[in-house]
Amino acid sequence: GYFFEDGFRRANTASLLSQVPDLERILGRINAGMVVPRELLALKHGLDAVPGLVEQLAFCSETGDSQTDGGEDVSMAWLSRELSPIPEVGSLIESAIAPEPSGAVGEGNVIREGFSPELDELKKASRDARGYIAGLELKERERTGLRGLKVGYNQVFGYYIEVSKSNIDKVPEDYIRRQTLTNAERYIVPELKEYESLVLNAKERLEEAERAVYHRVCAQLAESAVAISRVASAIARLDVFTGLADAAVENGYVRPTLDQGNAIRVT
């Protein structure tokens, strides 16, 4: 009755409900340790709609002057209480999860920078080492005068400096031959191996650290499982109420008026 009588309220509520994902499903995946970062962002987005939903119930709850077509007062205060916002859940997700997480947990792109100082340090070390390797090609070209010199990487030999066979007479003495190809020779220098070790170690530590931080965040969210479940249940009821009100409007349903008499009058 509350939503049947006010089309604007019904439409506003439906619009807010359309922003809410399946909270129970996401909560179940959190508890099972299977939730992915994008689902956590969806959880936050859904909980962000709760204050707006409460606002749609506030008119009746506060003023007490909303009536059904039967004439009696309606109070939605009970549902407002069930829809109590959980700001700490949204705040944790917003502070911990990158706004556009890419890749799997452990690739360094899921936890927002600033949330974990340890993780930020590992990311910086990895970037610095990769930056050195990226700049090594230009540096060595300038040092040796070999414009065709290339820095590459493969799974077997790691990072290497490649020089064509026609230019091997110009290779500096500090280059250490690592691999011979048909048209080129591949070399390493001690400094390159040091940075390679930094990159690979940083990557491994970064993977472990990000997974650990992500699991801690999920464990904290699981502590709010009861509150999230309560809100999810209230939202489900709200969805039913607005859906039935829509059906009543569209199909011309009329709620009967009951009294103590023994006559049934159908109009």
Side-chain angles (χ1 to χ4, degrees):
Y2 180 71
F3 290 105
F4 175 87
E5 67 187 17
D6 192 321
F8 287 110
R9 182 184 300 137
R10 188 169 65 251
N12 289 339
T13 303
S15 176
L16 288 166
L17 288 171
S18 70
Q19 302 172 26
V20 181
D22 188 340
L23 299 182
E24 287 284 5
R25 176 180 176 276
I26 294 174
L27 181 58
R29 288 176 62 80
I30 290 174
N31 290 332
M34 298 171 59
V35 70
V36 299
R38 291 193 180 279
E39 289 174 318
L40 294 186
L41 293 177
L43 172 62
K44 177 195 176 299
H45 191 59
L47 293 177
D48 284 346
V50 170
L53 292 172
V54 173
E55 188 177 334
Q56 297 306 312
L57 302 175
F59 172 79
C60 180
S61 303
E62 292 174 2
T63 64
D65 61 359
S66 180
Q67 295 184 331
T68 67
D69 53 2
E72 69 271 26
D73 290 342
V74 177
S75 174
M76 302 294 282
W78 65 275
L79 190 55
S80 293
R81 288 192 293 271
E82 293 296 302
L83 271 173
S84 178
I86 324 171
E88 63 274 14
V89 171
S91 296
L92 175 58
I93 295 172
E94 182 173 9
S95 62
I97 305 300
E100 295 184 1
S102 58
V105 177
E107 294 182 7
N109 300 312
V110 168
I111 300 300
R112 186 191 287 265
E113 289 201 15
F115 183 75
S116 168
E118 177 195 1
L119 201 55
D120 290 346
E121 281 297 318
L122 289 172
K123 287 181 181 179
K124 182 178 183 301
S126 180
R127 282 196 299 265
D128 290 347
R130 289 178 185 277
Y132 163 79
I133 292 172
L136 181 64
E137 186 172 278
L138 178 60
K139 174 185 170 185
E140 288 301 300
R141 283 182 179 180
E142 292 176 350
R143 181 169 81 96
T144 64
L146 299 172
R147 297 303 170 190
L149 178 150
K150 295 187 297 184
V151 173
Y153 175 84
N154 66 33
Q155 294 284 355
V156 178
F157 295 103
Y159 286 97
Y160 58 80
I161 298 170
E162 185 174 294
V163 179
S164 64
K165 283 283 181 66
S166 60
N167 288 313
I168 57 175
D169 58 323
K170 300 177 184 177
V171 169
E173 292 183 1
D174 60 338
Y175 276 28
I176 303 168
R177 182 180 280 108
R178 174 53 64 91
Q179 185 183 15
T180 298
L181 305 177
T182 303
N183 299 313
E185 295 283 350
R186 288 177 174 173
Y187 303 87
I188 61 168
V189 291
E191 191 178 13
L192 177 59
K193 298 310 291 182
E194 289 174 16
Y195 277 92
E196 176 185 309
S197 178
L198 284 174
V199 168
L200 299 180
N201 288 341
K203 180 181 178 183
E204 184 177 337
R205 291 173 60 199
L206 182 61
E207 289 175 356
E208 294 176 359
E210 185 168 80
R211 288 195 189 98
V213 172
Y214 185 74
H215 290 155
R216 284 201 299 272
V217 170
C218 291
Q220 282 184 258
L221 293 174
E223 293 175 3
S224 299
V226 173
I228 296 172
S229 182
R230 184 191 66 241
V231 168
S233 178
I235 288 175
R237 295 181 185 213
L238 199 53
D239 193 27
V240 170
F241 297 155
T242 55
L244 291 178
D246 267 332
V249 171
E250 291 174 8
N251 296 291
Y253 295 160
V254 177
R255 190 172 70 161
T257 301
L258 304 181
D259 60 29
Q260 298 299 318
N262 53 17
I264 296 177
R265 180 180 301 141
V266 179
T267 301

